[in-house]
Amino acid sequence: MSINHQVAGWEAVAFLRCEKIQSTQFLNKADLLHQKLSALAQLFPIQFGNEVTRVWIGGDAMTTLRAIELRCPVCDNEFKSQSVVSTNAFGGKRTDFHERAAGTQPLAYLIHMCSECGYSGGEADFTTAADVSPVLKQQVFKELAPLRPALVCGSEKYEAAAKVARWQGTDPRHIADLLLRAAWCCVDEGDVEAERYFRRHAAWMFEEALSAYDGVPREERAILTYLVGELWRRIGDIRKAGLWFEAVPNEVTDLQNQQWVIDAADQQRLNPREWFG
């Protein structure tokens, strides 16, 4: 199973170590909230192929990259890329769960794009075990190869990976994850319009996942409902954001462990902040 079948998070970047929102109502809950989110983070590893990859976050490490050589399973092109060895979480966490590193941001290096045809995915997607059908190859040659840029940025790689995921029939939740990460890359790239574009499409895909009976595990629905609200808030649709924030309590399955989600939704609905912590 490829990254495009199960991209579940950047070392749980969406939910890792969000100790509290800076509000007096959370100050006495900091330790408890940290414990809850640390446990929740285990639900969202990054899975590339059949191997779960955990990139070390924390300590004194700056982002460290290594050079790798990949062979494209679509066009057989050999090319060089870079992957993440270690990083840090010193840059803070935005309220859409975008965790920032001090120094080089690692997100763009978790996805690779073939320099010849534009096929994109994680390292495991460039092995002989990759799920590459004749139909997928045809789609890549038709839609990605003609548009392949000479200099590729992170958002373009995630957008291409989302297209590959769609052609592979991946579920909406994981396509949404890829589109959300494209939006996060746009923050680093300074492209406000593209950021809004990817947030909008990520929100729609998360909504599609939530509307399906088994599109999202029951214990994750409250978090993703909050996230959809936060995406619409950042897009600028305050009315739609409010509706999603108000729906969060109805999705909670364990009040003791998920009270922080309700608190976060109330905070962002009434007095929104841009950062956790």
Side-chain angles (χ1 to χ4, degrees), residues 55-65 84-90 101-106:
V55 181
W56 170 251
I57 299 178
D60 298 323
M62 299 299 285
T63 299
T64 303
L65 305 175
V84 179
V85 176
S86 64
T87 189
N88 64 80
F90 299 148
T104 302
Q105 300 304 313

Side-chain angles (χ1 to χ4, degrees), residues 5-18:
H5 284 86
Q6 193 166 337
V7 174
W10 156 233
E11 182 58 15
V13 65
F15 314 103
L16 181 63
R17 295 157 64 182
C18 300

Side-chain angles (χ1 to χ4, degrees), residues 111 113 118 120 144 153-167 175 178-179 181-183 197-198:
I111 292 285
M113 175 181 281
S120 299
L144 295 184
C153 57
S155 61
E156 291 169 328
K157 291 193 289 184
Y158 277 99
E159 181 180 22
K163 289 181 179 179
V164 171
R166 188 176 293 110
W167 298 332
I175 297 173
L178 290 165
L179 293 169
R181 282 150 183 77
Y197 171 86
F198 287 122

Side-chain angles (χ1 to χ4, degrees), residues 3-79:
I3 184 177
N4 298 322
H5 284 86
Q6 193 166 337
V7 174
W10 156 233
E11 182 58 15
V13 65
F15 314 103
L16 181 63
R17 295 157 64 182
C18 300
E19 289 82 5
K20 60 182 186 315
I21 293 181
Q22 291 176 338
S23 171
T24 54
Q25 76 183 96
F26 297 112
L27 293 179
N28 295 329
K29 301 178 182 179
D31 292 339
L32 177 62
L33 187 53
H34 177 82
Q35 294 173 5
K36 300 293 188 264
L37 287 166
S38 295
L40 182 61
Q42 302 306 312
L43 297 174
F44 299 91
I46 317 168
Q47 184 159 328
F48 297 147
N50 294 318
E51 179 180 356
V52 175
T53 302
R54 295 187 179 277
V55 181
W56 170 251
I57 299 178
D60 298 323
M62 299 299 285
T63 299
T64 303
L65 305 175
R66 66 182 176 92
I68 58 174
E69 294 186 357
L70 300 172
R71 179 188 293 272
C72 178
V74 171
C75 69
D76 208 36
N77 174 50
E78 293 183 356
F79 65 100

